[in-house]
Amino acid sequence: MTKADAAILADKVLKTYWLPNDFPIDPAFIANKLGVKVSEVELPETFSGALTKKRDKDPYIIIRKDDHMNRKRFSCAHEIGHYVARVETNTLEAEYDYVDLRSDFSSIGKDEDEIFANEFAANLLMPANAVKQLYKQDMSIIAMSRFFEVSNEAMSHRLTNLGLAR
């Protein structure tokens, strides 16, 4: 699946499970509406999150309890991206795992599934139309980060990817 698919699917999920212009978006609420439970657990620093499904059980997302709230929100949205991709491609096997580790490899963005999930998360938490509207109002990156409850780095990447970098 492509970055364009990620944007389309994030928009579809928002239209189905979230009220328009209600920010910040709560990815855990959306996950639950999709039938995916979310748990915060103690994990090593190198562990970002996971989407897991065991045979005859509902899928669930685990995220690192000690992460900053903004990081938890992005990790949850990222894992929802993995789930939505599986639904859209009809690859919901009886069991699966997506485990996201923080590493040099994960940060260079070469894995297609990870690129998709990151793009999905960005579109889910920071919808393009809302970002563009705030940008036109000359809102700072810091103010936008607070508005969407994402990190300054995530906000900066989003602006760059939308061609709005200052």
Side-chain angles (χ1 to χ4, degrees):
M1 301 194 81
T2 67
K3 283 184 169 188
D5 294 328
I8 291 165
L9 291 173
D11 186 58
K12 180 179 172 183
V13 166
L14 285 173
K15 285 180 178 171
T16 305
Y17 299 106
W18 198 252
L19 295 172
N21 300 314
D22 186 13
F23 295 101
I25 291 161
D26 183 349
F29 176 86
I30 291 172
N32 285 314
K33 289 292 186 183
L34 288 165
V36 181
K37 299 201 183 300
V38 179
S39 297
E40 292 183 25
V41 298
E42 288 189 32
L43 297 167
E45 260 187 66
T46 56
F47 193 92
S48 187
L51 168 67
T52 302
K53 172 146 181 6
K54 301 297 179 202
R55 187 172 300 282
D56 300 324
K57 303 283 184 187
D58 290 333
Y60 62 94
I61 291 170
I62 57 171
I63 53 178
R64 188 171 178 269
K65 179 181 175 182
D66 294 332
D67 277 345
H68 186 279
M69 182 55 68
N70 293 345
R71 177 74 227 169
K72 289 186 226 183
R73 291 167 35 73
F74 199 89
S75 293
C76 184
H78 175 99
E79 300 305 333
I80 293 169
H82 284 307
Y83 176 75
V84 168
R86 294 188 78 83
V87 170
E88 287 297 311
T89 58
N90 293 314
T91 55
L92 286 174
E93 296 97 19
E95 295 185 48
Y96 53 83
D97 289 301
Y98 278 96
V99 177
D100 293 310
L101 300 172
R102 294 185 184 118
S103 68
D104 291 338
F105 181 74
S106 64
S107 66
I108 59 173
K110 298 226 178 211
D111 181 286
E112 289 181 22
D113 289 339
E114 296 306 310
I115 292 168
F116 174 87
N118 281 337
E119 190 70 19
F120 179 91
N123 279 279
L124 188 75
L125 298 175
M126 302 168 277
N129 289 339
V131 172
K132 289 174 183 176
Q133 184 178 20
L134 296 177
Y135 182 84
K136 285 180 185 174
Q137 296 171 13
D138 206 29
M139 187 179 278
S140 72
I141 289 176
I142 293 170
M144 282 192 261
S145 298
R146 288 183 184 144
F147 180 82
F148 292 112
E149 291 187 9
V150 298
S151 69
N152 292 341
E153 183 181 9
M155 193 72 245
S156 180
H157 283 298
R158 185 68 171 137
L159 289 168
T160 298
N161 290 337
L162 291 172
L164 303 174
R166 296 178 193 218

